[in-house]
Amino acid sequence: MKAACWFGKNDIRVTNVPDPQIVNDRDAILRITATAICGSDLHIYNGFIPMMQDGDILGHEFMGEVVEVGKGVTNLKPGDKVVIPFTISCGNCFFCRRDLWSLCDNSNPNATIAEKMYGYSAAGLFGYSHIFGGYAGGQAEYVRVPFADVGAFKVPEGVTDDQVLFLTDILPTGYMAAENCNIQPGDTVAVWGCGPVGLFTIKSALLLGAERVIAIDRFPERLKLAQEAGAEVIDYMEVDVLDELRARTSGMGPDACIDAVGLEAHGITVDQFYDKAMQLARLGTDRPHVLRECIFACRKGGTVSLPGVYGGFVDKIPMGAAHSKGLTFKMGQTHVHRYLPTLMDHIVNGRLDTTFLISHRLPLEQAAEGYAMFKEKRDNCTKVVLYPGTA
Amino acid sequence: MSYDTIGNRPEHVSGSDGQPNVAMPERIASGLAGVALTTYAVAKRRDVGGAAMALAGGYLLFRGVTGRCAGYTLLQTGTSDATDSENAVIPHNQGIKIEKVVTVNRPASELFAFWHDFENLPRFMPHLESVQVLDNKRSHWVAKAPLGKTVEWDAEIINEVPGEMIAWKSVEGADIPNAGSVWFKALPADRGTEVRVVLEYDPPAGRLGAAVAKLLGEEPGVQVRDALRHFKNLMEAGEVPTIDGQPHGTKGRSPSDAPQKRASGEDMGVATPVPVHTAAPEVVQPVL
Ligand SMILES: NC(=O)c1ccc[n+]([C@@H]2O[C@H](COP(=O)([O-])OP(=O)(O)OC[C@H]3O[C@@H](n4cnc5c(N)ncnc54)[C@H](O)[C@@H]3O)[C@@H](O)[C@H]2O)c1
Ligand SMILES: [Zn+2]
Ligand SMILES: [Zn+2]
């Protein structure tokens, strides 16, 4: 089959690889019909995620048709159309039972390595480095889905791939980021980053009752989408973000600040040059510019929610500010299984549209072009979806 | 949490109050120690030295069980009735102790039952090829050894408390003498069961001892921890997660020689350890 494989920084090639097969009883094999490139994939593409191996198949946002199931899977059959959460979860452990699916105890074959880095291992992830299990991803013609009995959600008839593909990751991620803010009537929520995650975060915050959402980015087309989603916007290239947020919140600060950017934050302030130097010198691994701004901007007693991914160490975090202001921090990979059924229902019943996000539809064979375009935000690129078998 | 200490043996065993003489987990050497050395030997040293290492593992275990080289009473009496407080005591400053613990989200009775059927052990201890239960005490064990060879011995259960603990050891005359114990404790508020395995052994002197000490000093108990993790995976999820046999592009930088189809490809990506790009801790991956 064909698959988008990683061969190093900025080097992704679609090559021929063997087809996947059933390994464990709870596996299923899917023929992929649609698969997206995520901001998280860009962290790999840009070389910031350790423990990638040459030839690893990328992709954690995918859906398709079941072609084979293991003998432990009785609720799926060949021909079923399904979407797959990007976190691999067993459904039975302490964490899965408490709806903390991305923290599953039983899905990372490399848990030993993850424990060395993080103390304890979170769930295995599709196509996301060997720290998270080294599972082959779904930017391919076929994929093996472990624990498919709890990790595959059927798509009802009459719904298109484009409508439900983002249930695999970014839609639940935006939703969880907003839910983590415990939004109360009258609240103002500030969202850094108007990429796919930021945009879904904006929609979710409004859905969950936020009075106002203020969105921050620098790309006009993304700011426009944020506005269309119902947010007020700030172009951080034009004004001082902290001053502007204070001014727009009656001098109080946003009730919640959401970092939908993560470890590769772009910036023009002094701390950013420091971060960049640290990263180049391999002294720090992440660039936490947005995280710092969130901490400073947030009102006292507010919440800082981090859907944006951090992978290693961050430097110069204003812990004193966070502590003296009594902030609450919420973060983590998304518990996709928890949110997927509800969000699916919103989509199927026409209450929620996600297709507005897709700017580029390409055959799988053009994955490399898709990555480059998404990274450089070329051609107003907001989200790339790849369709295997359409070249 | 794990407790790997080298040195003092903290307590002695007392069976005089009618309790099993293995009443504390720390007090029993474990057959899992066989995992530590024999698996290491298989995984790392595919040569004659590896075979020697596998045997050395057995020797260590033998010493651990006996407390001294063929000395103390655990092996001599081989029962839980022994009341001698010297049972299984390793001389001060000589023992190596490995203790591993994991939480399993299943009832203790179920975990006990699964472990008690020793024929299940190879499903989570990858160094074992098979275990055949002979009767309600005795079993026959076959472990993988280097060069495709196997090592075999008979073991017997020397102590058990239903739903709580099992202790076993190889019978006298085994090629690789060994012993082990596992302890199950129900946790409060539906949190499942604490499963604790303890190993203890007494390194031999001389060159062999030095080699073994070096080896165990680096990662004592990695194999034991992995075995416990696999036990948890099996009991909670019904299977051990793996990526063995999954597809990937060629692991060299050039994809030109990538396999075309499953049937024709030699490179199935199976069991070929590949260096990773960052300095990862070296881990002996058990082959399940
Ligand atoms: N927690 C999860 O489970 C989860 C799931 C999916 C994605 N993510 C993470 O969410 C983050 C965003 O993903 P995405 O797909 O939207 O990526 P993306 O790269 O498309 O979007 C990031 C946006 O942040 C903007 N940005 C950069 N620096 C900024 C700054 N200083 N201030 C304001 N905006 C800034 C960029 O211009 C861009 O529009 C990534 O870190 C990704 O890894 C997390
Ligand atoms: Zn994603
Ligand atoms: Zn789980």
Side-chain angles (χ1 to χ4, degrees):
Chain A
M1 68 167 183
K2 291 199 175 74
C5 300
W6 182 93
F7 288 98
K9 192 177 168 184
N10 294 332
D11 186 1
I12 281 160
R13 301 173 217 165
V14 175
T15 64
N16 284 312
V17 304
D19 292 348
Q21 34 198 316
I22 299 280
V23 179
N24 276 338
D25 287 353
R26 296 176 64 188
D27 290 354
I29 305 293
L30 296 198
R31 183 179 62 79
I32 309 278
T33 53
T35 174
I37 302 174
C38 178
S40 301
D41 293 326
L42 293 181
H43 301 321
I44 295 180
Y45 188 63
N46 294 335
F48 289 108
I49 302 297
M51 293 201 64
M52 289 295 295
Q53 295 178 1
D54 286 356
D56 282 349
I57 300 172
L58 296 170
H60 59 269
E61 299 181 359
F62 58 86
M63 60 182 297
E65 194 183 292
V66 174
V67 293
E68 198 184 343
V69 295
K71 33 180 202 297
V73 182
T74 53
N75 56 346
L76 297 174
K77 56 178 192 316
D80 285 347
K81 184 52 106 42
V82 291
V83 288
I84 310 294
F86 75 99
T87 61
I88 302 171
S89 313
C90 79
N92 297 334
C93 68
F94 178 96
F95 301 95
C96 289
R97 284 286 162 88
R98 282 159 181 75
D99 246 359
L100 301 169
W101 299 81
S102 74
L103 307 177
C104 177
D105 254 349
N106 292 312
S107 58
N108 186 356
N110 286 335
T112 301
I113 293 170
E115 281 179 359
K116 286 228 154 69
M117 289 189 66
Y118 296 143
Y120 297 91
S121 173
L125 306 176
F126 288 102
Y128 216 71
S129 92
H130 290 259
I131 302 174
F132 299 108
Y135 286 100
Q139 287 163 8
E141 289 179 304
Y142 294 90
V143 71
R144 167 188 162 233
V145 178
F147 303 126
D149 54 327
V150 296
F153 291 77
K154 282 187 213 170
V155 180
E157 297 273 320
V159 179
T160 64
D161 286 9
D162 289 358
Q163 280 179 283
V164 291
L165 176 61
F166 302 143
L167 286 168
T168 56
D169 177 354
I170 49 174
L171 178 58
T173 294
Y175 191 85
M176 181 166 120
E179 196 192 64
N180 274 341
C181 295
N182 187 24
I183 294 169
Q184 302 296 312
D187 274 4
T188 298
V189 177
V191 178
W192 277 253
C194 299
V197 170
L199 289 168
F200 284 140
T201 303
I202 293 165
K203 284 200 155 205
S204 303
L206 291 168
L207 194 78
L208 290 168
E211 181 77 24
R212 296 163 65 203
V213 175
I214 304 174
I216 305 146
D217 204 310
R218 78 178 197 277
F219 292 102
E221 70 279 6
R222 294 185 174 215
L223 290 171
K224 182 162 163 285
L225 287 173
Q227 240 161 354
E228 286 166 10
E232 306 162 30
V233 297
I234 295 175
D235 179 344
Y236 67 84
M237 298 298 277
E238 290 185 350
V239 294
D240 181 287
V241 172
L242 297 177
D243 287 349
E244 187 69 15
L245 283 173
R246 182 190 294 270
R248 292 205 203 174
T249 54
S250 318
M252 196 172 185
D255 302 279
C257 290
I258 301 181
D259 173 355
V261 179
L263 64 92
E264 289 187 71
H266 163 266
I268 44 172
T269 50
V270 175
D271 66 318
Q272 187 63 15
F273 296 115
Y274 172 83
D275 289 340
K276 192 89 193 180
M278 290 286 282
Q279 217 170 39
L280 287 172
R282 297 260 169 241
L283 293 171
T285 56
D286 300 353
R287 297 200 303 260
H289 171 69
V290 167
L291 173 55
R292 287 187 201 117
E293 274 190 353
C294 286
I295 292 171
F296 275 119
C298 197
R299 77 149 162 81
K300 290 181 284 180
T303 299
V304 174
S305 163
L306 310 170
V309 162
Y310 290 86
F313 297 89
V314 293
D315 198 28
K316 300 277 185 291
I317 290 303
M319 207 56 207
H323 190 271
S324 81
K325 286 162 66 181
L327 301 183
T328 296
F329 285 81
K330 300 283 265 182
M331 64 194 85
Q333 299 285 358
T334 305
H335 308 303
V336 179
H337 301 63
R338 186 204 291 181
Y339 302 102
L340 201 151
T342 311
L343 294 170
M344 172 90 82
D345 190 61
H346 284 318
I347 290 170
V348 171
N349 290 299
R351 290 188 293 267
L352 192 61
D353 168 54
T354 63
T355 57
F356 74 93
L357 194 63
I358 306 172
S359 58
H360 292 78
R361 296 176 168 84
L362 303 173
L364 173 66
E365 286 74 2
Q366 288 179 38
E369 170 62 8
Y371 270 88
M373 205 158 50
F374 186 46
K375 170 180 173 169
E376 292 152 23
K377 308 332 186 212
R378 244 195 276 143
D379 190 23
N380 291 349
C381 183
T382 49
K383 188 76 176 177
V384 180
V385 179
L386 306 168
Y387 304 89
T390 59
Chain B
M1 231 195 310
S2 67
Y3 311 90
D4 301 329
T5 56
I6 297 180
N8 284 337
R9 176 175 173 78
E11 294 164 72
H12 64 266
V13 174
S14 169
S16 56
D17 53 358
Q19 294 297 312
N21 70 351
V22 283
M24 291 292 291
E26 294 83 2
R27 289 169 185 163
I28 269 287
S30 172
L32 287 179
V35 182
L37 278 181
T38 54
T39 307
Y40 180 90
V42 173
K44 291 285 227 190
R45 302 275 307 262
R46 300 175 193 282
D47 54 16
V48 184
M53 197 65 88
L55 287 167
Y59 178 65
L60 283 188
L61 290 169
F62 177 73
R63 302 256 307 192
V65 172
T66 58
R68 280 178 200 152
C69 195
Y72 278 98
T73 51
L74 192 58
L75 268 193
Q76 288 167 2
T77 61
T79 76
S80 57
D81 301 325
T83 55
D84 185 344
S85 68
E86 291 181 323
N87 281 353
V89 173
I90 291 177
H92 281 305
N93 304 318
Q94 287 190 33
I96 289 176
K97 186 172 75 174
I98 295 173
E99 178 174 338
K100 295 290 171 189
V101 62
V102 71
T103 297
V104 183
N105 197 18
R106 303 297 307 167
S109 56
E110 191 181 306
L111 303 181
F112 176 91
F114 187 85
W115 198 299
H116 193 269
D117 179 356
F118 280 5
E119 296 193 358
N120 283 326
L121 299 187
R123 294 175 64 186
F124 60 93
M125 294 183 190
H127 78 296
L128 290 177
E129 195 163 282
S130 69
V131 178
Q132 189 194 348
V133 172
L134 304 172
D135 59 37
N136 65 350
K137 285 264 177 267
R138 290 173 73 103
S139 48
H140 182 69
W141 300 49
V142 182
K144 295 166 191 156
L147 305 168
K149 293 197 165 54
T150 56
V151 193
E152 310 192 13
W153 66 89
D154 283 353
E156 63 181 356
I157 292 177
I158 53 169
N159 215 332
E160 64 182 278
V161 180
E164 287 179 28
M165 67 82 67
I166 312 166
W168 64 94
K169 67 169 183 59
S170 59
V171 300
E172 263 183 89
D175 281 345
I176 294 198
N178 62 88
S181 70
V182 57
W183 306 72
F184 307 95
K185 190 176 100 191
L187 295 168
D190 269 344
R191 295 173 73 102
T193 303
E194 177 193 285
V195 181
R196 189 175 293 265
V197 166
V198 182
L199 316 177
E200 200 166 342
Y201 43 89
D202 190 13
R207 246 181 70 206
L208 190 57
V212 163
K214 187 164 163 253
L215 139 72
L216 289 171
E218 285 165 6
E219 279 285 0
V222 163
Q223 310 298 335
V224 184
R225 198 221 14 243
D226 286 349
L228 262 190
R229 193 198 304 289
H230 289 175
F231 176 67
K232 172 190 171 71
N233 295 151
L234 263 182
M235 300 314 297
E236 290 184 348
E239 58 193 40
V240 176
T242 179
I243 58 167
D244 280 358
Q246 79 173 10
H248 53 70
T250 175
K251 292 296 187 186
R253 285 256 161 181
S254 160
S256 54
D257 56 346
Q260 299 296 308
K261 272 280 170 255
R262 191 189 302 182
S264 65
E266 314 165 346
D267 179 6
M268 294 291 290
V270 183
T272 329
V274 182
V276 291
H277 287 283
T278 41
E282 201 181 33
V283 178
V284 183
Q285 287 288 356
V287 190
L288 267 185

